[in-house]
Amino acid sequence: MQTKQRILLVEDEEHLLEAIKLNLELEGYKVTTATDGKKALKKFKEERFNLIILDVMIPEIDGFQVAETIRLENTEVPIMFLTAKNTNEDRITGLKKGADDYLVKPFNLEELILRVGNLVRRGMKGDDLKELNSYQIGDKTIYFNSFELHHADGTITALTKKETMLLKLLIERRNEAVSREQILETVWNYDVYPSTRTIDNFILTFRKYFEPDQKNPIYFHSIRGVGYKFTDNKTH
């Protein structure tokens, strides 16, 4: 990396802190560490970071509260929870507090490095994504602000708000797998917890709209055990 991306790593287990720090530094990141919630918030206010990795069970102020406090000041910086708290309720709480990702201990180091890379890259291009007002798939164009799908023959299909939000999320993250947790956070906003079948039905609807052959989709894919992906190799 030409400019080192900066990571704030908050973990109170010293050996784990040092091991993660070393491996992130080997990947080219500049890592600042904190061992409790108070120190984490102090360092967050003093420096600018491209990613924050938070344990939940840390002294002084727990990780959930730290994330909540950071989100009051900064809605852009990616936050990843790295924790032994592994129930669905814990994951939902983490996402509600503003986390972008949630990885449970014990974890695979290679998976951690990959997730860190994805979050840092997404944070760097975040400003560009806000400008996405329309997008063309095949001979159809989605207009996000008016919730409309314009067909080549001039007809218009009205999209629901959730259809539009899910389309925008998948398109912004094109060629990347998007987890159910990220869809929950962005599209459903925790009002309800959608089942896999609910999201699958949205994907089936998108295939009806856009796929030349619904049984052999080229754009909208369900990835078993992971989530969903929109594939489009054209440049924008």
Side-chain angles (χ1 to χ4, degrees), residues 31-58:
V31 182
T32 298
T33 61
T35 52
D36 66 53
K38 276 189 178 176
K39 290 175 186 169
L41 288 173
K42 183 174 185 292
K43 292 190 176 182
F44 169 74
K45 288 174 181 175
E46 292 171 348
E47 301 178 47
R48 179 186 169 279
F49 296 99
N50 301 97
L51 173 65
I52 295 164
I53 302 176
L54 271 176
D55 187 11
V56 173
M57 294 179 285
I58 49 176

Side-chain angles (χ1 to χ4, degrees), residues 44-221:
F44 169 74
K45 288 174 181 175
E46 292 171 348
E47 301 178 47
R48 179 186 169 279
F49 296 99
N50 301 97
L51 173 65
I52 295 164
I53 302 176
L54 271 176
D55 187 11
V56 173
M57 294 179 285
I58 49 176
E60 301 290 345
I61 305 170
D62 73 35
F64 288 150
Q65 287 181 275
V66 171
E68 198 168 30
T69 303
I70 287 171
R71 279 290 175 251
L72 290 174
E73 296 184 28
N74 186 317
T75 59
E76 302 298 324
V77 62
I79 296 174
M80 173 196 282
F81 279 116
L82 188 62
T83 175
K85 291 176 75 68
N86 63 355
T87 68
N88 280 336
E89 289 78 9
D90 291 327
R91 289 174 183 269
I92 296 301
T93 299
L95 292 168
K96 281 183 176 179
K97 299 297 183 188
D100 299 273
D101 204 349
Y102 195 106
L103 186 59
V104 173
K105 300 175 186 176
F107 56 88
N108 178 290
L109 184 60
E110 187 177 356
E111 181 182 5
L112 171 66
I113 297 297
L114 286 170
R115 289 189 185 215
V116 165
N118 283 338
L119 288 171
V120 168
R121 282 193 302 275
R122 198 188 320 157
M124 289 169 66
K125 68 183 182 182
D127 291 340
D128 298 332
L129 298 183
K130 293 176 186 170
E131 303 305 315
L132 187 64
N133 296 317
S134 66
Y135 193 90
Q136 186 171 345
I137 302 176
D139 60 0
K140 300 174 176 67
T141 304
I142 307 158
Y143 291 91
F144 297 105
N145 294 335
S146 59
F147 307 112
E148 291 177 346
L149 174 61
H150 290 225
H151 301 265
D153 62 4
T155 59
I156 298 173
T157 299
L159 300 171
T160 68
K161 185 177 180 181
K162 283 190 166 45
E163 282 177 338
T164 308
M165 290 173 71
L166 182 52
L167 278 169
K168 189 169 189 180
L169 174 63
L170 293 172
I171 289 167
E172 286 177 344
R173 300 278 308 281
R174 56 187 170 274
N175 304 320
E176 291 181 34
V178 182
S179 71
R180 290 188 68 247
E181 286 82 4
Q182 288 159 341
I183 291 172
L184 169 67
E185 177 189 8
T186 306
V187 180
W188 269 264
N189 197 28
Y190 321 108
D191 294 336
V192 296
Y193 193 91
S195 68
T196 301
R197 185 178 296 278
T198 302
I199 304 176
D200 277 341
N201 286 337
F202 275 75
I203 299 298
L204 289 173
T205 299
F206 296 160
R207 287 176 184 162
K208 289 176 187 174
Y209 289 156
F210 301 106
E211 300 286 4
D213 179 358
Q214 293 177 41
K215 292 183 179 176
N216 295 290
I218 57 175
Y219 297 117
F220 292 94
H221 309 275

